[in-house]
Amino acid sequence: MEPDEESVGSLVELGLSRYEARVYLALVRRDSYTAAQVAREAEVPRQRIYDVLDKLVRAQLAVAHRGRVTTFTAVAPELALTRLMNRQRESLERLEKVSTSLTSLLLPLWSDGRAHTDPLDYIEVLRDPRQIAERFADIQEQADSELLSFCMPPFVAPAANTSGIKATRRLRRAKGTVRAVYTHDALADEEVLENVRRFAEAGEEARFAQRLPLKLVIADASLVLCDMPDPVAGTGATTALYIEHPALAACLRLAFQSVWEAAEPMRAEAADAVGSAEPPDTAEPDAG
């Protein structure tokens, strides 16, 4: 392995994406670069370079010098690596808190399960995409105060998802919470971005993460629909679990909150495309 590739791999282990690592290493080599120059040097696509540089600047690993042409400079490696290590420590501390909370919630569940004669009577296993779509609509309609989602392809609901829009409006009129975390790839998909816009107009709060562990919907910390991809088959086929169990739902809700806190709000350029996301204050007829 070349030394640069070793450095890229090490920076990835410290939390950077491969593009971010390559751009930082390119910035280290010179006093400053324009965006176009560093894109060529780091071999990063031009359409991605501004996003990558923005993340490095916000992470305090690079500095932007505004002028007629904006240039970028790397933060000194010892300071940059200290900041990356601090981010990892903060992430570990957050995970330790989640782990402690999950342990306290799972232990009673585990103890109850020792005497349970049929431990799966609260779980429905679904493999038919039509049934999964129906359960997805059901869980949205049953939500009374809170609806939390990890959204990632492939999507089982119709593109319009009118039942989800209606549920979002209903919950927000009742002062409930509707939150969704999407992957960053959603920002490059016009159809998905349009769906994000429609849900934002209905009152959904959206954030974006580099990766999500699985597709997940939690209603009122009591109902769960999650998609379990087959890690062996690799065919894209999934098995969905519909679970009515408050303790397990509470555990998964903690996991959602951890990802939500670490996820990013929509970037400015995408927000312009999505438009205003203010929830309606007054009742309006649901879409048919």
Side-chain angles (χ1 to χ4, degrees):
M1 179 182 288
E2 296 294 328
D4 276 359
E5 283 304 309
E6 290 182 1
S7 298
V8 168
S10 297
L11 288 171
V12 168
E13 289 187 33
L14 287 172
L16 295 185
S17 69
R18 295 196 70 81
Y19 280 169
E20 291 165 2
R22 285 161 61 177
V23 169
Y24 177 77
L25 290 173
L27 290 173
V28 166
R29 298 189 187 104
R30 271 177 48 176
D31 179 59
S32 65
Y33 277 105
T34 65
Q37 289 170 338
V38 77
R40 286 194 300 270
E41 181 69 19
E43 298 182 355
V44 170
R46 286 284 295 273
Q47 63 269 28
R48 293 294 309 279
I49 191 62
Y50 289 101
D51 178 48
V52 172
L53 286 167
D54 180 60
K55 289 181 179 178
L56 289 175
V57 170
R58 284 190 285 114
Q60 297 183 296
L61 304 181
V63 177
H65 304 282
R66 309 297 177 183
R68 188 175 62 85
V69 177
T70 300
T71 59
F72 297 87
T73 302
V75 168
E78 64 272 20
L79 181 56
L81 293 174
T82 297
R83 287 171 176 166
L84 285 174
M85 285 298 300
N86 288 338
R87 284 170 53 183
Q88 293 296 315
R89 291 189 185 98
E90 290 171 2
S91 177
L92 181 57
E93 289 173 0
R94 187 165 56 248
L95 289 174
E96 286 177 346
K97 292 178 182 177
V98 171
S99 176
T100 301
S101 298
L102 283 174
T103 299
S104 64
L105 287 168
L106 284 172
L107 277 175
L109 177 62
W110 181 84
S111 298
D112 290 345
R114 300 312 91 197
H116 207 296
T117 57
D118 186 4
L120 298 180
D121 62 359
Y122 48 81
I123 298 177
E124 183 179 2
V125 180
L126 304 167
R127 293 187 176 88
D128 184 338
R130 180 182 57 81
Q131 291 181 326
I132 296 173
E134 289 175 354
R135 280 290 176 267
F136 180 55
D138 288 344
I139 199 169
Q140 293 177 115
E141 292 171 2
Q142 292 183 63
D144 287 327
S145 60
E146 185 179 73
L147 191 64
L148 311 175
S149 306
F150 286 160
C151 301
M152 54 192 291
F155 299 104
V156 296
N161 192 7
T162 54
S163 63
I165 294 292
K166 290 167 66 176
T168 299
R169 289 174 176 164
R170 172 176 55 80
L171 286 166
R172 292 313 304 267
R173 285 198 297 265
K175 307 302 182 184
T177 299
V178 183
R179 288 179 172 177
V181 181
Y182 299 83
T183 60
H184 285 156
D185 293 340
L187 297 173
D189 188 313
E190 292 185 2
E191 183 176 357
V192 176
L193 195 58
E194 170 63 15
N195 205 42
V196 174
R197 182 192 67 78
R198 293 175 63 249
F199 271 84
E201 289 178 344
E204 181 187 80
E205 299 174 65
R207 289 189 180 181
F208 296 81
Q210 191 69 31
R211 288 176 296 275
L212 291 173
L214 77 172
K215 293 164 66 176
L216 175 70
V217 184
I218 308 169
D220 301 330
S222 61
L223 301 176
V224 174
L225 180 67
C226 60
D227 217 359
M228 310 292 289
D230 188 331
V232 178
T235 61
T238 60
T239 297
L241 301 180
Y242 182 76
I243 306 167
E244 298 185 44
H245 199 295
L248 181 58
C251 293
L252 292 173
R253 184 178 183 276
L254 282 174
F256 176 91
Q257 296 292 1
S258 177
V259 174
W260 174 265
E261 290 172 5
E264 301 174 328
M266 190 176 299
R267 297 193 300 271
E269 62 271 23
D272 290 341
V274 169
S276 175
E278 289 296 323
D281 292 327
T282 59
E284 62 182 271
D286 288 330

